[in-house]
Amino acid sequence: RLANGPGTIGGCFCDAHKKQFTERGGYSEAQWQELLDAVHTRTLSPILRAWVDFTCDQLTASFRAMQAADPEIELGNMVMYLGAEKAGIRLSDYSNVPVRVGELMFDDKHFAPVKGKTDELFSALFHRRFVAPGRAFSETTAFPSDKLSAANMAAKLTISTIADVRNTMYMSGVTPFPVTHWDTLAPAMKYQSTLHAIIAGQTPRGPLKHCWGEASRYVGDDKPFSLFLALGIPFEVTDTPASDGWTFLSDVDAKSLANSSTPGTQLICRPGVAGGIVGVEETLDALFAWRRSVLSSLRDVPYIEEEKAAICAWYPTIRAAIIWNMAETREDFTLRCGSSTRSVTLGPLESTLVTSL
């Protein structure tokens, strides 16, 4: 990548790269300053777009040169959390190579909160827009090596299953994670592989829309509105605002779409971000309150009746859904689909597949 970390608009701003960029585009010194201002304010102006495309061209060219140097080795891209164009990663350039979908929650402090889990699922779902499941890898990092519990490491397997990421790699730097983790991981791996075999190749569908737009990819701060995934209502991934349901937006995507026409879907963002878009606080209390206002409009869509943090990933073509309990306590759930209900009890962070919906 050509960014120091998530949320950074990357590239090298040294004199050599400045000269290369300005000569290539015929830009003046004043326009170079305009670019620096746009980077600082995260403004998707024409010159900032040109800069991001310039950095993407550099990284892609480097990747292809390395691949050409030894065709017997298949290179891939270790994409960071929500890695995209602003980091020099034009994801469409890597659609036919191995890609490690981006993760970030490397310890219990960051992964344990529901928001940590939904952020990581959000990132994996975004990257899967660009890479085939068999080419997708989950790094599942623990760092420091003993700071991600076995239960949370196992829970990350559920993210891979829901996002249909076929390959999982455990990583902890130069120090192995505790060997006792395998007492939990071994059965969890076997169980998730059974679920994954059933839903592999299926696409989750639902009225809640996961949309990470162009503005987020080019200039965003990588703070997605992801907590809606835990409302127990099915969701689906879209490239742009859909023509139905409810589309949840990051702040920068909301600002870019403010007062625009998006027929068929209701845009939702954090309060006070953008005019003409419904504002809902990104807290479970506020989101469940919003959920009460829309449940009656759901038709032939399964959802969890209780107001508990849980994922409901629905695969209508096989009449099945994955339910993931995001709490660290044992919980009872009622899955409603039309007039019928199904009772599900799940242990801490446990998931299951409900069939014949």
Side-chain angles (χ1 to χ4, degrees):
R1 63 180 186 249
L2 290 173
N4 290 336
T8 303
I9 300 173
C12 179
F13 296 84
C14 72
D15 289 342
H17 282 95
K18 171 185 175 181
K19 184 174 185 291
Q20 185 179 351
F21 172 72
T22 54
E23 289 183 352
R24 169 171 145 170
Y27 297 116
S28 65
E29 182 65 32
Q31 288 173 303
W32 175 256
Q33 186 58 51
E34 177 189 334
L35 167 65
L36 298 182
D37 292 342
V39 170
H40 178 72
T41 60
R42 296 184 181 272
T43 301
L44 187 51
S45 62
I47 194 169
L48 190 143
R49 182 186 294 276
W51 172 258
V52 171
D53 289 341
F54 170 72
T55 62
C56 288
D57 290 346
Q58 287 183 311
L59 189 61
T60 298
S62 174
F63 180 89
R64 290 175 176 169
M66 287 186 285
Q67 181 65 86
D70 194 338
E72 294 183 4
I73 297 174
E74 186 176 33
L75 295 184
N77 194 326
M78 186 174 169
V79 180
M80 66 176 170
Y81 173 73
L82 288 172
E85 284 86 347
K86 62 178 170 285
I89 304 167
R90 186 187 294 119
L91 287 162
S92 58
D93 291 348
Y94 304 94
S95 60
N96 295 316
V97 304
V99 170
R100 194 224 79 182
V101 301
E103 299 167 86
L104 184 65
M105 314 308 161
F106 302 152
D107 56 28
D108 291 340
K109 175 183 176 182
H110 291 94
F111 188 74
V114 176
K115 171 68 171 166
K117 298 180 184 70
T118 59
D119 276 356
E120 188 148 313
L121 175 59
F122 189 100
S123 181
L125 290 169
F126 162 58
H127 286 136
R128 275 283 288 106
R129 281 166 42 184
F130 300 89
V131 58
R135 295 290 204 171
F137 288 74
S138 165
E139 181 189 341
T140 312
T141 299
F143 188 81
S145 60
D146 61 347
K147 297 303 181 184
L148 185 67
S149 69
N152 280 332
M153 193 175 284
K156 290 193 175 213
L157 292 168
T158 304
I159 291 175
S160 294
T161 301
I162 292 171
D164 198 8
V165 173
R166 302 284 173 85
N167 310 282
T168 295
M169 303 180 295
Y170 286 119
M171 179 175 169
S172 58
V174 297
T175 305
F177 52 80
V179 68
T180 52
H181 275 30
W182 289 106
D183 296 337
T184 298
L185 292 178
M189 291 167 73
K190 291 178 181 179
Y191 178 69
Q192 287 298 327
S193 68
T194 301
L195 296 190
H196 204 152
I198 298 171
I199 65 94
Q202 301 298 316
T203 302
R205 299 295 186 192
L208 306 188
K209 312 301 180 180
H210 166 306
C211 181
W212 192 239
E214 183 184 59
S216 283
R217 291 162 55 186
Y218 272 75
V219 297
D221 57 5
D222 286 0
K223 295 179 181 178
F225 195 139
S226 71
L227 202 54
F228 75 91
L229 294 169
L231 291 181
I233 296 178
F235 55 87
E236 63 187 65
V237 179
T238 64
D239 294 344
T240 57
S243 58
D244 66 307
W246 297 271
T247 299
F248 290 80
L249 301 172
S250 71
D251 293 359
V252 67
D253 281 335
K255 290 174 182 176
S256 73
L257 292 170
N259 303 311
S260 62
S261 176
T262 54
T265 191
Q266 183 178 75
L267 304 181
I268 297 176
C269 67
R270 300 179 181 101
V273 170
I277 297 180
V278 174
V280 179
E281 292 281 356
E282 195 183 8
T283 66
L284 285 174
D285 286 346
L287 283 164
F288 276 123
W290 170 83
R291 192 184 88 138
R292 289 175 216 133
S293 70
V294 304
L295 280 185
S296 62
S297 65
L298 299 182
R299 296 288 184 269
D300 301 320
V301 174
Y303 65 88
I304 294 170
E305 288 190 336
E306 292 80 8
E307 293 186 356
K308 298 177 180 179
I311 299 289
C312 178
W314 179 41
Y315 308 94
T317 55
I318 59 170
R319 299 177 58 201
I322 289 178
I323 308 302
W324 179 21
N325 174 22
M326 308 191 83
E328 297 183 8
T329 54
R330 188 175 185 84
E331 300 291 342
D332 296 322
F333 299 98
T334 305
L335 183 65
R336 174 170 291 280
C337 188
S339 59
S340 64
T341 59
R342 304 276 286 276
S343 297
V344 178
T345 299
L346 294 172
L349 305 178
E350 191 177 17
S351 61
T352 192
L353 186 71
V354 180
T355 59
S356 302
L357 290 174

